[in-house]
Amino acid sequence: MGLSASQARLLTITARKADCEFQSMQLSHQKIALSRDMENVSTEYQQALNQTKLVYDYYGTGTSQMDLTYDLLMKPSIYNDYYPKLITDSQNRVVLDDRYAAAAIYAGIPAEGLNGTSSSEVRDAFIRALAGEGDNGNKVVDKNGKPLDIISETTKDIILKTTYNNGISLGASYSATSSTQNITYAELLDKIEASTYSTEDYGLEQFGGRVTSDVWGDAVQFLNHNRESGDERANGNYSSTDSTFIYKGTKNQNMVNMTNGNSYSLSLADLLKDEEQYTYVIQAGGGQCHPGGDAAFLQKVIIGGEYDKSFLNWMTDQFSSILGGVTQNDLALQYAYNNVYDLIYPNEDIQQLGEKYIIDGVVDKTRHDASNYTKHNRAGRELMNYIGTLVKNCYDCNEVQAVTDKADEYIGCTYSACYHGTKGSQSTIAVNLNNLAKVFLTSYVEYIQGIDISTYNYNIGKLDNANLYKPKDGDIFTINGNSTVSSGSENLLAGFYDALFNQICVSGWTRNDEIGTNKAYLQELMKNGSVFISSINNDGYYYMGNYSTDVYIAEIADTEAIARAEAKYNSEKSKIENKENTIDMKMKNLDTEISSLTTEYDTTKSIITKAIEKSFKRYEA
């Protein structure tokens, strides 16, 4: 190698070595940054291990812990002894969410209160507003423009027929004592039949809308969620069969459509019998699955709070109208409600998945956007895998009848996952209402007979694998006889809302829109002392205190939040470790290259030195 070439090579080696050393320094800084990230992740995880949540433990045994929510405190139930447990601020004002605040505003109750109770006319206006009923046919609405439905029409009518008690919660209280009577199962069915509630009051209204005769024929639609005019998919491939129906049939026979146009309301007594089967169905056609349609189906069957419109609430109110009012029965009915609800939403993770799947409540007009459509269809399939049984999975077929015919063989939902080739794809979901009613009754009987000795089972899946209650001669049901309620109140529901109304009038109120929908936010406000709990005492007056002084409220470790934090920690830790391993590999390669360059540098430098020495010796000679 000539001197000039050696010098050029030396410069190249020097530049490359400097570049490698710079890259190594950068990687070293990145590794230091990852160490800081790991430290932050570890700190966050350690803090998460201390997370707690507030639960409502009515029995004080630790076996009946429910997440503390606004509705649990502010709606009448056995869990609050039919007295409102009020969220109050430091000035003892009642904290109302946007729904209750809208009712107070409509009734004309100022935020500062009235320094006393008001008239029965104002109280009645408040009660009507809770049901969304305003003057001259107008609706009282929440912040989103949705009519209030804090109480049902039935509850509203009961309360309005009861004389306003302006002393309750202000030194007066009430206690209800009831006589009871025993009836047979046949007599129970007769009483239920005689007090049948209209399904229309629970959102299962008849609708004679668009139906394609080749698939459905004439049918009764109990929910109208057909698309609005012009709201079509861009490619036009969207079937007009997107509808929900109730199919009616006799045992061991194919389901037959109920005649469209006839007035019809389901009978709970019929659902408890074997002679007739009723199956609630949605068939969403075109483009795989109608994202809002399946959500609407689930909402109408099961989803909702105590006063929301759904089949489960219709069924619960039917049973309660006969069996309610006896403490043991009320506990059993709540147990039955929870078990049927859990068939659809067995845990919080599934609830979150359901909320992710439901777009804007029922149907979102943007569902035909390709990204939204694919995302929510995937969420829907994932949801159905948890809560339903796949009974049809095929190509180029008519899966509708298969799913509806098989629904009576299963507890919980049945569904299809069919792709119809050039016809587009269709999705069908169904649930047999008879089986849901029988699960409810079984749960009720199980609680009365004793959960610890129960042999009943009613999990999602084949009905043949279940063990449901089978009525026998001599089975006795205890119902409420003639009730006597002291202190001028004729009804526990009326007493509850009179107590709430009186406290709003006397103490005033303040509005917090988030407190009614975000339980974590409510609990945080309570834990940091921003709001308090006000409960009625034995003397008939309300007293304000910290949540820790309430015998029903306990603070426990938030195991679900801790589990989520642990999963996040493990995921972040794995990512950081993978990055560190990559950096270590790059740094090792750079070290190897630097070592090689150093060796070559020394060799080249030695060659240059020797060449120079040789040149000097030549000229010296």
Side-chain angles (χ1 to χ4, degrees), residues 369-606:
D369 174 79
S371 59
N372 280 340
Y373 192 81
T374 301
K375 176 178 64 176
H376 290 288
N377 180 59
R378 187 181 304 115
R381 290 295 181 210
E382 186 179 353
L383 176 64
M384 292 311 300
N385 285 337
Y386 278 107
I387 68 175
T389 304
L390 179 66
V391 297
K392 197 71 173 177
N393 191 359
C394 57
Y395 286 80
D396 201 21
C397 70
N398 181 0
E399 88 290 355
V400 176
Q401 198 67 40
V403 175
T404 56
D405 283 349
K406 283 184 173 292
D408 64 326
E409 300 176 16
Y410 291 87
I411 291 176
C413 297
T414 55
Y415 72 100
S416 68
C418 293
Y419 181 73
H420 291 252
T422 57
K423 299 179 182 179
S425 59
Q426 294 180 325
S427 170
T428 301
I429 303 172
V431 65
N432 182 262
L433 303 181
N434 298 70
N435 292 342
L436 285 186
K438 290 172 184 176
V439 167
F440 190 103
L441 180 61
T442 298
S443 298
Y444 168 84
V445 172
E446 179 180 47
Y447 189 94
I448 296 296
Q449 293 179 349
I451 299 173
D452 295 338
I453 61 173
S454 170
T455 59
Y456 299 116
N457 66 75
Y458 33 82
N459 296 321
I460 294 172
K462 272 283 192 179
L463 179 64
D464 290 343
N465 297 330
N467 180 23
L468 300 180
Y469 167 70
K470 295 178 176 59
K472 301 183 295 292
D473 293 339
D475 285 355
I476 295 299
F477 292 80
T478 301
I479 65 172
N480 194 13
N482 297 321
S483 297
T484 302
V485 183
S486 63
S487 299
S489 173
E490 297 175 7
N491 185 276
L492 293 176
L493 293 175
F496 181 96
Y497 287 104
D498 283 348
L500 173 60
F501 174 76
N502 290 342
Q503 286 301 307
I504 292 173
C505 290
V506 170
S507 302
W509 57 274
T510 183
R511 175 172 173 168
N512 187 315
D513 290 351
E514 192 174 358
I515 201 168
T517 56
N518 189 336
K519 65 182 178 184
Y521 172 73
L522 165 63
Q523 293 185 17
E524 189 58 35
L525 289 181
M526 296 182 71
K527 286 190 285 187
N528 65 31
S530 298
V531 297
F532 303 87
I533 287 279
S534 289
S535 304
I536 197 165
N537 201 4
N538 292 332
D539 60 4
Y541 287 98
Y542 267 80
Y543 293 92
M544 184 173 70
N546 187 275
Y547 72 89
S548 61
T549 64
D550 193 293
V551 295
Y552 296 130
I553 299 176
E555 186 172 3
I556 64 173
D558 191 346
T559 55
E560 293 177 354
I562 292 173
R564 288 195 296 269
E566 183 176 3
K568 180 181 178 181
Y569 169 77
N570 290 333
S571 175
E572 294 297 325
K573 180 182 176 184
S574 178
K575 292 177 183 177
I576 291 173
E577 288 176 344
N578 288 338
K579 290 179 180 179
E580 286 183 331
N581 291 336
T582 301
I583 289 174
D584 287 341
M585 184 178 297
K586 289 181 179 180
M587 291 181 71
K588 185 177 180 180
N589 292 338
L590 286 172
D591 288 343
T592 300
E593 185 175 357
I594 289 172
S595 177
S596 176
L597 289 170
T598 300
T599 301
E600 187 177 359
Y601 177 88
D602 292 342
T603 301
T604 303
K605 186 175 180 182
S606 176

Side-chain angles (χ1 to χ4, degrees), residues 69-75 86-88 93-106 126 129-130 140-144 148-150 497 500 504 509-518 521-522 525 531:
T69 65
Y70 188 77
D71 279 355
L72 184 63
L73 303 175
M74 293 287 283
K75 287 187 175 181
L86 304 174
I87 306 296
T88 52
R93 296 176 300 183
V94 181
V95 181
L96 302 179
D97 67 5
D98 67 293
R99 302 169 302 158
Y100 280 102
I105 292 171
Y106 175 80
F126 178 71
L130 293 178
V140 182
V141 299
D142 61 16
K143 64 179 181 180
N144 298 317
L148 302 185
D149 56 358
I150 299 173
Y497 287 104
L500 173 60
I504 292 173
W509 57 274
T510 183
R511 175 172 173 168
N512 187 315
D513 290 351
E514 192 174 358
I515 201 168
T517 56
N518 189 336
Y521 172 73
L522 165 63
L525 289 181
V531 297

Side-chain angles (χ1 to χ4, degrees), residues 71 75-77 150 202 304-308 313 317 334 337 493:
D71 279 355
K75 287 187 175 181
S77 72
I150 299 173
Y202 291 79
E306 184 179 356
Y307 296 107
D308 291 336
N313 285 342
D317 288 351
Q334 185 64 50
Y337 177 97
L493 293 175

